[in-house]
Amino acid sequence: MRRTLTAILGLAAMGAVMLPVAAFAEDTVSAGQFFANNVWMMLCAGLVFIMHLGFATLESGMTRSKNTVNILFKNTFIISIGILTYALCGFNLMYPGEFNGFLGFAGAGLSDLASADNTAGYASGGYTYYTDFLFQAMFAATCATIVSGAVAERIKLSSFMIFAAVFVAFVYPIAGSWKWGGGFLDAMGFYDFAGSTLVHSVGGWAALVGAIALGPRLGKYTKGRMNPIPGSNMSLAAVGVFLLWLGWFGFNGGSVLSADPVLTSYTLVTTCIAAAAGAVAAMTASWTLASKPDLSMSLNGILAGLVGITAGADSVSLVGAVLIGLVAGVLVVFSVMFFDRIKVDDPVGAISVHLTCGVWGTLAVGIFSMNPEHSFLVQLAGVAVYGLFTVVCAGILFYGLKATIGLRVEEAEELEGLDLAEHGGHAYDFGGSTRGFEDELPLGARRVSPAAATLATE
Amino acid sequence: MRRTLTAILGLAAMGAVMLPVAAFAEDTVSAGQFFANNVWMMLCAGLVFIMHLGFATLESGMTRSKNTVNILFKNTFIISIGILTYALCGFNLMYPGEFNGFLGFAGAGLSDLASADNTAGYASGGYTYYTDFLFQAMFAATCATIVSGAVAERIKLSSFMIFAAVFVAFVYPIAGSWKWGGGFLDAMGFYDFAGSTLVHSVGGWAALVGAIALGPRLGKYTKGRMNPIPGSNMSLAAVGVFLLWLGWFGFNGGSVLSADPVLTSYTLVTTCIAAAAGAVAAMTASWTLASKPDLSMSLNGILAGLVGITAGADSVSLVGAVLIGLVAGVLVVFSVMFFDRIKVDDPVGAISVHLTCGVWGTLAVGIFSMNPEHSFLVQLAGVAVYGLFTVVCAGILFYGLKATIGLRVEEAEELEGLDLAEHGGHAYDFGGSTRGFEDELPLGARRVSPAAATLATE
Amino acid sequence: MRRTLTAILGLAAMGAVMLPVAAFAEDTVSAGQFFANNVWMMLCAGLVFIMHLGFATLESGMTRSKNTVNILFKNTFIISIGILTYALCGFNLMYPGEFNGFLGFAGAGLSDLASADNTAGYASGGYTYYTDFLFQAMFAATCATIVSGAVAERIKLSSFMIFAAVFVAFVYPIAGSWKWGGGFLDAMGFYDFAGSTLVHSVGGWAALVGAIALGPRLGKYTKGRMNPIPGSNMSLAAVGVFLLWLGWFGFNGGSVLSADPVLTSYTLVTTCIAAAAGAVAAMTASWTLASKPDLSMSLNGILAGLVGITAGADSVSLVGAVLIGLVAGVLVVFSVMFFDRIKVDDPVGAISVHLTCGVWGTLAVGIFSMNPEHSFLVQLAGVAVYGLFTVVCAGILFYGLKATIGLRVEEAEELEGLDLAEHGGHAYDFGGSTRGFEDELPLGARRVSPAAATLATE
């Protein structure tokens, strides 16, 4: 007897869980399609989940090592609080069912197993209720993570945690309901396939407001010049970008909302082509401008292409995908330079990647879409509405925190690094191998070999 | 002509490999469902595989850099020997078919392609024989990996390798057969969906025995106080925990043993909710107790929630999942403090995560399960049986090794670090760029630029 | 209203995208199977994609930290230019349809959405046209990445970029067409399931030519002895190898070209068993030879087993898989020693892993295949043809570049490290926390705590 049998007996005992196989006769999809669709969507949720590791490593790698623990702590918090608040209220704010188009709420919490509609009738056989929640929850947390990169290395931990919790619980879901929840922007014909605007520019606007509210890091802009503060771990940053690219297979591929073979595979092709074009364009642009091949810019070029293609990955032509990526790759380089010129300090380039290229991608749908119903002006209107709403909300949050509990750490703490100041420890220690017990050991043990002696003095 | 055609011709030539399509008429699942089920299960095997990278990076990150090579070597060995021994005997010990309920063995080695039952009839269409083996083999190796974290930084490499090989080849499969193989605990009604007890507490008990048999690391407990030994690479530790969370999509999601849309998606939701709740609870508990936000504890909180939900991920309510995660997150913090108080040195907190929370999760099934057949007392009995068996087996192994070839490295080696002492090298070198050939080059070449000069003196 | 409905309406508006459900009646696969097949193949493409991160981290970890940015930049370039050139010409060179068996070309660029055949009729329901492109594109870029490891730490960036672009755009696809495109080697009965020869030995031969054309790194072979140059980040190298193993689930599993439950699961089992056997064999061989357990060799043993099984993963017996892995694991150790003896400097062992074991794996099909049509002599002929062609092409490219723009960096740049010399920065900085703004701050701020003072002096 195998686990199977036990599991099936257990399943039978639960009764309500049993899948109504008969139901498929009335549906447009077969049981096999429903199973395949749901497998795809669950795995896409997993891929979007791994984007949180991508952001955590990218941000840690592109900032100084004295703030690494702080960044990792924030990213651990965001995904955790994001899932919990999205279950509590976010999901039902974003998908309230029939509503006034501006604000709706389907009630607190998720449906339990007995009452949830997990049949193939729930979403035309694309996935179950629980898969729907999981996939959308991973998206929601992504939006808040974008902000964390731009405010890194100087924001007060508790203030950021409050911002992130409110942003993911209320701001993102309400904004999302206007399009994906079937609200007024959806009715207007605004199109955003997987979130160039709904996720990336919303995150990017909030990042911009946060970076302005905080001001630049100490020493970043001095005596009229910009001092580059290079990342402390470029391998980790590269790991982050490759994981984000992989995650985008789920971010865009899952936004088809089924495993439809044509649309999913076409979406993955436009996504990968735009990412590749973004990288090559950013390499070329930054190499030309700075006479050096720049790894950070190349990595951001990949992300620029990915953010750019996200709004129209299912509906632009292949040539459109290449052009969207190329333009995004050039844009991100100039955008980084622009924000440095106006002294908005964004340690990882999050504003340029997510806001600039998010806006570009959304407008690009109006240019390159094969669907004649997509309109440039409506896209522009959508971009403006999301910008206005997010700037107001993020402004209230960031400046409200600044006026009350404070937004920025003390100068001394920033200098020392947030890891030691807020967390009491460092992220890295590649030296001290004998810490804490030198006085406990007989002297002879410490002299055992030249190598040990060397280590002991480190 | 494409690869397809060639492949199909090759396939036809093999004859025996052809899938008996006609067979589906008699089965309860369609060919499409069988394909989707098997795809899901293979990918879940891949996700559990990646947990081995998660453990390797978590353990490397949370220990000192002088022992990193040693830890990576151990983890490379475990997955490799684990797969080989599970093929040789583990799989057939764990799933012996009809047996006496205590010990059975279906023979050495795996069935070959001609004789293996890979039809939809094998496991009600959930997966093939080979997928079954692969998924279970990845689980088996996981169990041994848990131990490696607790015994890190002081165990003798060869002794650990012997322990790991025997543990994964015999102890885990025999213990597993009692429940998942249809043995006496399964007959008693004990429930452990994906292995809070069968995998995690079994690994955790062995970790406890190993840590006691070894004693604490030099300098850990001195003059009546506990000296924290912080990890050397917290980015790597965070990478590990996020990969483990991702891997749990397969660990729990695959334990449904098919791609049943309702059960798999529900399982993923309870899993992610418990992980998030565990993180938030551990953050809160450790912040309250230590007045500092602690990254290690937050990461362990995620793992605590994951281990806790594993026994009942398919059968507890959503509220139950939140509570299981919250309690696990608090438990892991107190458990780490407890084991430090009784001077059981566990460098990565493996005992607290896998044993304490594994036991909690198993008992929690008796509290929060929606299935009335699950009983708290039976769960308690199962926990006790697995604890007793594992402690005896691990005790024999660890104390047997201690009495013969020795369990712990020399003091001098421990001080020097296992990397240099056992492997002859270090894991990290972020300085010396000119090592080994200074005397080969003309002096001028070494003075080429200020930067090179700086590097040369590092 | 949910995203689903919107998406479906959008889909309907596009017309041409709609999947012809009726078509399935005439096909051999059901819609469910087609969906599941395509999901599997898309995810396999994602898994092969992640191999590029595996190579990037493996190569960065196994080389010196002064060249890490350079390696990451190269790997970012390869995947990007690889996808673009494969779309532009590679795909249609490799799969030209009916052709003369030596060279064919189906025209520039990919088919657009309206004209592409994405029905289940395209590839017997295994996947769509776009999935086909994506999966093959990820393979193509892999081939060029193999080379980058062997030429690391001394090749001129621009020269490598030219080589990589031409190699992936023309050399690999033309070579590939001879077997997978249905060319003359396919007609001869040559068998290479997933590319031990077509991908790995082709990459490996080019790596060998590149390493010879470049010569060894400064200081590697001096005064008649070989100076080991250890890797700078073994954790990163281990991350790379585990990711490569995971990627191989897609590399081999996807080469079934459908989700056929029997063939895919059998392939994954032989793949994992060979990897495990390779690791154990390389551990044993290197431990015996060097009296130390060697992590690098163990990791290369995994890769050796994986490369070895790739040619016959679907057609050798289980015992054959074990033997292929064991032999590969021993071979890689002796091969590394051999290339060091003849002073071919390969910083990561790429030639030994991909060429030596790629050849072994291809010949092993002639020994262990269960398919009587596979012949050792034909396998040998295929190996020779690919070797000859690749050596000639890579020779023209590498020596052509050497004679024109130059292949190797200046001695001074090599000493300084390529990161500073070519990219103007370092990959790692775990110290300097106050760089760039010491003179901007009041003195008191710099003395805020002993910890900060310590950091300031680092």
Side-chain angles (χ1 to χ4, degrees):
Chain A
M1 200 197 305
R2 306 238 149 200
R3 282 172 75 183
T4 321
L5 189 49
T6 335
I8 287 168
L9 291 173
L11 180 55
M14 293 176 67
V17 184
M18 292 302 287
L19 190 72
V21 177
F24 289 107
E26 303 153 84
D27 290 313
T28 51
V29 297
S30 68
Q33 277 172 290
F34 182 38
F35 274 54
N37 283 339
N38 194 61
V39 163
W40 172 247
M41 293 302 298
M42 291 192 298
L43 289 164
C44 285
L47 288 168
V48 180
F49 167 77
I50 212 61
M51 290 174 72
H52 290 275
L53 178 57
F55 280 113
T57 48
L58 172 62
E59 293 169 20
S60 303
M62 285 211 176
T63 52
R64 287 166 296 182
S65 57
K66 65 178 177 178
N67 300 314
T68 301
V69 169
N70 185 258
I71 288 169
L72 297 171
F73 189 91
K74 284 193 296 183
N75 281 280
T76 303
F77 175 74
I78 291 168
I79 177 68
S80 302
I81 203 71
I83 290 174
L84 294 177
T85 58
Y86 204 72
L88 197 64
C89 64
F91 188 52
N92 287 339
L93 274 171
M94 191 151 164
Y95 298 101
E98 294 296 325
F99 72 118
N100 62 19
F102 293 90
L103 187 64
F105 185 45
L110 299 177
S111 303
D112 62 20
L113 192 50
S115 62
D117 181 3
N118 282 302
T119 67
Y122 173 68
S124 310
Y127 43 86
T128 67
Y129 170 79
Y130 288 114
T131 302
D132 191 8
F133 163 73
L134 194 71
F135 184 68
Q136 300 295 342
M138 296 304 170
F139 262 66
T142 304
C143 187
T145 296
I146 290 166
V147 184
S148 75
V151 300
E153 306 206 89
R154 60 211 192 276
I155 199 167
K156 210 170 159 174
L157 180 62
S158 53
S159 297
F160 179 79
M161 290 168 75
I162 293 168
F163 165 82
V166 174
F167 197 73
V168 74
F170 302 107
V171 180
Y172 167 77
I174 291 171
S177 74
W178 299 344
K179 165 61 190 155
W180 291 341
F184 74 99
L185 283 169
D186 190 53
M188 275 176 57
F190 177 67
Y191 194 70
D192 188 2
F193 173 61
S196 286
T197 285
L198 269 75
V199 179
H200 294 282
S201 87
V202 164
W205 286 114
L208 176 62
V209 173
I212 291 172
L214 278 165
R217 288 168 292 174
L218 289 174
K220 175 69 183 179
Y221 306 106
T222 54
K223 295 178 181 163
R225 67 193 167 88
M226 190 279 287
N227 304 305
I229 302 180
S232 58
N233 194 337
M234 291 311 294
S235 301
L236 201 63
V239 167
V241 169
F242 277 78
L243 288 181
L244 284 165
W245 187 340
L246 178 70
W248 240 281
F249 278 62
F251 199 88
N252 284 3
S255 291
V256 170
L257 302 176
S258 80
D260 179 284
V262 184
L263 276 184
T264 48
S265 61
Y266 185 72
T267 293
L268 293 190
V269 169
T270 56
T271 299
C272 288
I273 282 181
V280 170
M283 275 177 188
T284 309
S286 61
W287 204 331
T288 308
L289 291 169
S291 308
K292 294 254 183 210
D294 190 307
L295 177 61
S296 301
M297 281 299 181
S298 307
L299 295 174
N300 271 336
I302 290 175
L303 299 181
L306 290 167
V307 171
I309 195 65
T310 292
D314 66 331
S315 50
V316 300
S317 65
L318 291 172
V319 173
V322 173
L323 293 174
I324 287 171
L326 289 175
V327 171
V330 174
L331 265 182
V332 78
V333 173
F334 282 96
S335 179
V336 165
M337 289 166 59
F338 169 76
F339 283 113
D340 258 339
R341 179 147 315 172
I342 64 168
K343 297 187 180 172
V344 171
D345 183 19
D346 175 4
V348 306
I351 303 170
S352 297
V353 165
H354 300 279
L355 176 54
T356 305
C357 296
V359 168
W360 157 240
T362 310
L363 299 179
V365 170
I367 304 171
F368 298 108
S369 175
M370 299 179 297
N371 185 334
E373 295 189 8
H374 295 159
S375 137
F376 186 86
L377 287 178
V378 172
Q379 297 299 100
L380 192 62
V383 165
V385 166
Y386 278 106
L388 192 67
F389 177 72
T390 312
V391 166
V392 169
C393 291
I396 292 170
L397 279 168
F398 278 125
Y399 284 95
L401 287 164
K402 192 172 182 175
T404 51
I405 63 172
L407 197 56
R408 187 161 175 155
V409 297
E410 300 292 317
E411 249 191 26
E413 291 177 312
E414 187 176 337
L415 268 183
E416 189 177 52
L418 305 184
D419 290 1
L420 206 55
E422 298 216 37
H423 303 273
H426 293 297
Y428 300 111
D429 179 3
F430 299 120
S433 59
T434 55
R435 174 178 310 115
F437 51 88
E438 290 83 354
D439 53 341
E440 307 305 322
L441 296 159
L443 192 68
R446 276 186 276 159
R447 295 281 173 269
V448 80
S449 81
T454 306
L455 283 172
T457 62
E458 273 176 6
Chain B
M1 200 197 305
R2 307 235 150 204
R3 282 172 75 183
T4 323
L5 189 50
T6 336
I8 287 169
L9 293 173
L11 180 54
M14 293 175 68
V17 185
M18 291 304 287
L19 190 71
V21 177
F24 289 109
E26 304 152 84
D27 290 314
T28 52
V29 297
S30 68
Q33 277 171 291
F34 182 38
F35 273 54
N37 282 339
N38 194 62
V39 163
W40 172 247
M41 294 301 299
M42 291 192 297
L43 289 164
C44 285
L47 289 168
V48 180
F49 167 77
I50 211 61
M51 292 174 71
H52 290 276
L53 177 57
F55 280 114
T57 48
L58 171 63
E59 291 169 21
S60 303
M62 285 210 177
T63 52
R64 287 165 296 181
S65 57
K66 66 178 177 178
N67 300 314
T68 301
V69 169
N70 186 256
I71 287 169
L72 296 170
F73 189 91
K74 284 192 296 184
N75 280 279
T76 303
F77 175 74
I78 291 168
I79 178 68
S80 303
I81 202 71
I83 290 173
L84 295 177
T85 58
Y86 204 72
L88 198 62
C89 64
F91 187 53
N92 287 338
L93 273 171
M94 190 151 164
Y95 298 103
E98 295 297 325
F99 71 120
N100 62 19
F102 294 90
L103 187 64
F105 185 46
L110 298 178
S111 302
D112 61 21
L113 192 49
S115 62
D117 181 2
N118 282 301
T119 68
Y122 173 68
S124 309
Y127 43 86
T128 66
Y129 169 79
Y130 289 114
T131 302
D132 191 9
F133 163 72
L134 194 70
F135 184 69
Q136 300 295 343
M138 295 303 170
F139 261 66
T142 304
C143 188
T145 297
I146 290 166
V147 184
S148 75
V151 299
E153 306 205 273
R154 59 210 192 278
I155 199 166
K156 210 170 159 175
L157 181 60
S158 52
S159 296
F160 179 78
M161 290 168 76
I162 293 168
F163 165 81
V166 175
F167 197 72
V168 74
F170 302 107
V171 181
Y172 167 77
I174 291 170
S177 74
W178 298 344
K179 164 62 190 155
W180 292 340
F184 75 97
L185 284 168
D186 190 52
M188 275 174 59
F190 176 66
Y191 193 71
D192 187 2
F193 173 61
S196 286
T197 284
L198 270 75
V199 179
H200 295 282
S201 86
V202 164
W205 285 115
L208 177 62
V209 173
I212 292 172
L214 278 165
R217 290 168 292 173
L218 290 174
K220 175 70 183 177
Y221 307 106
T222 54
K223 294 176 182 164
R225 67 192 167 88
M226 190 279 288
N227 304 304
I229 302 180
S232 58
N233 194 337
M234 291 310 294
S235 302
L236 201 64
V239 167
V241 170
F242 276 79
L243 288 180
L244 284 165
W245 188 340
L246 177 70
W248 240 281
F249 276 63
F251 199 89
N252 285 3
S255 291
V256 170
L257 302 176
S258 80
D260 179 285
V262 184
L263 275 184
T264 49
S265 61
Y266 186 72
T267 294
L268 293 191
V269 169
T270 55
T271 299
C272 288
I273 282 181
V280 171
M283 277 177 188
T284 309
S286 62
W287 205 331
T288 307
L289 291 170
S291 307
K292 295 254 180 209
D294 190 307
L295 177 60
S296 302
M297 280 299 181
S298 308
L299 295 174
N300 272 335
I302 289 175
L303 300 181
L306 289 167
V307 170
I309 196 64
T310 292
D314 67 331
S315 50
V316 299
S317 65
L318 291 171
V319 172
V322 174
L323 293 174
I324 287 171
L326 289 175
V327 171
V330 174
L331 264 182
V332 79
V333 173
F334 282 97
S335 178
V336 165
M337 290 166 59
F338 168 77
F339 284 112
D340 258 339
R341 180 148 313 173
I342 63 170
K343 297 188 180 173
V344 171
D345 183 19
D346 175 4
V348 305
I351 303 169
S352 297
V353 165
H354 299 280
L355 175 55
T356 306
C357 296
V359 169
W360 156 241
T362 309
L363 298 179
V365 170
I367 305 171
F368 298 109
S369 175
M370 299 179 295
N371 185 335
E373 296 189 8
H374 296 159
S375 137
F376 186 85
L377 286 178
V378 172
Q379 296 300 101
L380 192 63
V383 165
V385 167
Y386 278 106
L388 192 68
F389 177 72
T390 313
V391 166
V392 169
C393 291
I396 292 169
L397 279 169
F398 278 124
Y399 285 95
L401 287 164
K402 193 173 182 174
T404 52
I405 64 172
L407 198 55
R408 187 161 175 155
V409 297
E410 299 292 317
E411 249 192 29
E413 291 177 313
E414 186 177 338
L415 268 182
E416 188 177 53
L418 306 184
D419 290 1
L420 207 56
E422 297 216 37
H423 304 271
H426 293 295
Y428 300 110
D429 179 2
F430 299 120
S433 58
T434 55
R435 174 178 311 115
F437 51 87
E438 289 83 353
D439 52 341
E440 306 306 321
L441 295 159
L443 191 68
R446 276 186 274 159
R447 295 280 175 270
V448 81
S449 81
T454 307
L455 283 171
T457 61
E458 274 176 6
Chain C
M1 200 198 305
R2 306 237 149 201
R3 282 172 75 183
T4 323
L5 189 49
T6 336
I8 287 168
L9 292 173
L11 179 56
M14 293 176 68
V17 184
M18 292 303 287
L19 191 70
V21 177
F24 290 108
E26 304 153 84
D27 290 313
T28 51
V29 296
S30 68
Q33 277 172 290
F34 182 37
F35 273 54
N37 283 338
N38 195 61
V39 163
W40 172 247
M41 293 302 297
M42 291 191 298
L43 289 164
C44 286
L47 288 168
V48 180
F49 168 77
I50 212 60
M51 291 174 71
H52 290 276
L53 178 57
F55 280 115
T57 48
L58 171 62
E59 292 169 18
S60 302
M62 284 211 176
T63 53
R64 287 165 296 181
S65 57
K66 65 177 176 179
N67 300 314
T68 301
V69 169
N70 185 257
I71 288 169
L72 296 171
F73 188 91
K74 284 192 296 182
N75 281 280
T76 303
F77 175 75
I78 291 168
I79 177 69
S80 302
I81 203 71
I83 290 174
L84 294 177
T85 57
Y86 204 72
L88 197 64
C89 64
F91 188 52
N92 287 339
L93 273 171
M94 191 150 163
Y95 298 103
E98 294 297 324
F99 71 118
N100 61 20
F102 293 91
L103 187 64
F105 185 45
L110 299 177
S111 303
D112 62 21
L113 192 50
S115 62
D117 181 4
N118 283 301
T119 68
Y122 174 69
S124 309
Y127 44 86
T128 67
Y129 169 79
Y130 289 113
T131 302
D132 190 9
F133 163 73
L134 195 70
F135 184 69
Q136 300 295 342
M138 296 303 170
F139 261 66
T142 304
C143 187
T145 297
I146 290 165
V147 183
S148 75
V151 300
E153 306 206 271
R154 61 212 191 276
I155 199 166
K156 210 170 160 174
L157 181 62
S158 52
S159 297
F160 179 78
M161 290 168 75
I162 293 169
F163 165 81
V166 175
F167 197 72
V168 74
F170 301 108
V171 180
Y172 167 77
I174 291 170
S177 73
W178 298 344
K179 163 62 191 154
W180 291 342
F184 74 98
L185 284 168
D186 190 52
M188 275 173 58
F190 177 66
Y191 193 71
D192 188 2
F193 172 61
S196 286
T197 284
L198 269 75
V199 179
H200 294 282
S201 86
V202 165
W205 285 115
L208 176 62
V209 173
I212 292 172
L214 277 165
R217 289 168 292 174
L218 291 174
K220 175 70 183 178
Y221 307 105
T222 55
K223 294 178 182 164
R225 66 192 168 90
M226 190 279 286
N227 304 303
I229 302 180
S232 59
N233 194 338
M234 292 311 294
S235 301
L236 201 64
V239 167
V241 170
F242 276 78
L243 288 181
L244 284 165
W245 187 340
L246 178 70
W248 240 282
F249 277 62
F251 199 89
N252 285 3
S255 291
V256 170
L257 302 175
S258 81
D260 179 285
V262 185
L263 275 183
T264 48
S265 62
Y266 186 71
T267 293
L268 293 191
V269 169
T270 56
T271 299
C272 288
I273 281 181
V280 170
M283 276 177 188
T284 309
S286 61
W287 205 332
T288 308
L289 291 169
S291 308
K292 295 255 181 209
D294 189 307
L295 177 60
S296 301
M297 281 298 181
S298 307
L299 295 174
N300 272 336
I302 289 175
L303 299 180
L306 289 167
V307 170
I309 195 65
T310 292
D314 66 332
S315 50
V316 300
S317 65
L318 291 171
V319 172
V322 174
L323 292 174
I324 287 170
L326 289 175
V327 171
V330 174
L331 265 181
V332 79
V333 173
F334 281 97
S335 179
V336 165
M337 290 166 60
F338 169 76
F339 284 112
D340 258 340
R341 178 148 315 172
I342 64 168
K343 297 188 181 171
V344 171
D345 183 19
D346 175 3
V348 306
I351 304 170
S352 297
V353 166
H354 300 279
L355 175 54
T356 306
C357 296
V359 168
W360 157 241
T362 310
L363 299 179
V365 170
I367 305 170
F368 299 108
S369 176
M370 299 178 295
N371 185 335
E373 295 189 7
H374 295 160
S375 138
F376 186 85
L377 286 178
V378 173
Q379 296 299 100
L380 192 63
V383 165
V385 167
Y386 278 105
L388 191 69
F389 177 72
T390 312
V391 166
V392 169
C393 291
I396 291 169
L397 279 169
F398 278 124
Y399 285 95
L401 287 164
K402 193 171 182 175
T404 52
I405 63 172
L407 197 56
R408 186 161 176 155
V409 298
E410 300 293 316
E411 250 193 25
E413 292 177 312
E414 187 176 336
L415 269 182
E416 189 177 52
L418 305 184
D419 290 0
L420 206 57
E422 297 215 37
H423 304 272
H426 293 296
Y428 300 110
D429 179 3
F430 299 119
S433 59
T434 55
R435 174 178 310 114
F437 51 88
E438 289 83 354
D439 52 341
E440 307 304 323
L441 295 160
L443 192 68
R446 277 186 275 159
R447 295 281 174 269
V448 80
S449 80
T454 307
L455 283 172
T457 61
E458 273 175 5

